[in-house]
Amino acid sequence: MKSTPPVNKIPDTSAPQRRTHARFLAALLSPAALAVAVWLAFSTSDVAAASTRIQHLVALGAFVLFLTGITFYLAAAAATGSRGRGKFGGQIEADGAGRTIRRIRSLSGIGAVFALAAVLTIAGLEALRIVAPPANRPVSVQFSEITGRVQFEYCPSLPGSFEALVKPPDLAGSSTLLPVWVAGTVCGNPNFQNGVWLYLNRSTITVADAGDR
């Protein structure tokens, strides 16, 4: 008589479904990671406000968490069990399938932890943007008079229209000079690669609110 392997040793055939599920979750997280990467790429690299720098660091942390979670899910989708040899082939097959399932579950579980941490980080970032908005407000500056600009001594490539940052009290004030912070890429002066504050005559410029970054 042929021996029948115990019921608990029958190979588990759920591994393909688990791999498919892991691939699905990796694909689900990818657009979120891409969105964070695009935000980091297109947001200004020359930031004057400390709160903005903190937001960039939090977003970078979320991006790393998303990538780590995706990596673990992809590893789970590609996980295979070790092969062994024994007297009862069915039992060895069942043991191998069990190890595969445990490996997929373990990798997927770690991926879920990182994915959840990334989502919570994004939620924290949104809360941070509400509770601690940037101290400087983005504006669009356009010169109405292009001659006699002393600021050209500081920013030789400053265009006639550009984006800058201003402090809300200065923007609402009525002083003759308006301090504006110009990014190094806009200024064009190698001595001010991290940006520079320019004091512009209000009578020669038009300032429009550019909204929150």
Side-chain angles (χ1 to χ4, degrees):
M1 294 179 60
K2 294 184 178 180
S3 61
T4 302
V7 175
N8 61 347
K9 292 300 183 178
I10 296 177
D12 190 338
T13 59
S14 65
Q17 290 81 5
R18 293 178 185 271
R19 293 192 186 97
T20 301
H21 184 65
R23 283 193 294 269
F24 170 77
L25 292 176
L28 191 65
L29 293 177
S30 297
L34 180 61
V36 176
V38 169
W39 185 84
L40 287 170
F42 284 92
S43 59
T44 178
S45 59
D46 298 318
V47 290
S51 59
T52 306
R53 291 195 295 269
I54 294 174
Q55 291 175 12
H56 282 208
L57 290 176
V58 173
L60 181 60
F63 177 69
V64 172
L65 289 172
F66 272 125
L67 283 186
T68 306
I70 291 171
T71 300
F72 275 101
Y73 276 126
L74 291 177
T80 58
S82 58
R83 295 180 179 180
R85 294 181 179 179
K87 182 176 180 181
F88 301 102
Q91 179 175 338
I92 294 300
E93 183 180 357
D95 291 342
R99 284 191 293 269
T100 301
I101 297 300
R102 287 192 296 270
R103 181 171 176 80
I104 295 174
R105 291 179 60 183
S106 176
L107 292 172
S108 296
I110 298 174
V113 170
F114 280 100
L116 178 60
V119 172
L120 293 178
T121 302
I122 292 296
L125 174 61
E126 291 303 316
L128 179 63
R129 288 170 63 87
I130 296 174
V131 175
N136 299 313
R137 191 165 187 82
V139 294
S140 175
V141 179
Q142 183 173 0
F143 283 101
S144 56
E145 181 181 333
I146 62 174
T147 60
R149 286 181 284 169
V150 179
Q151 67 273 9
F152 266 175
E153 298 178 6
Y154 300 94
C155 298
S157 67
L158 191 68
S161 179
F162 58 92
E163 289 192 357
L165 296 176
V166 300
K167 296 182 182 299
D170 292 335
L171 184 61
S174 58
S175 60
T176 303
L177 298 178
L178 176 64
V180 300
W181 183 87
V182 181
T185 53
V186 176
C187 179
N189 189 333
N191 294 324
F192 303 117
Q193 294 182 359
N194 294 324
V196 61
W197 284 97
L198 300 178
Y199 293 82
L200 307 180
N201 194 321
R202 288 180 186 266
S203 63
T204 63
I205 59 174
T206 300
V207 181
D209 191 352
D212 295 327
R213 287 185 184 275

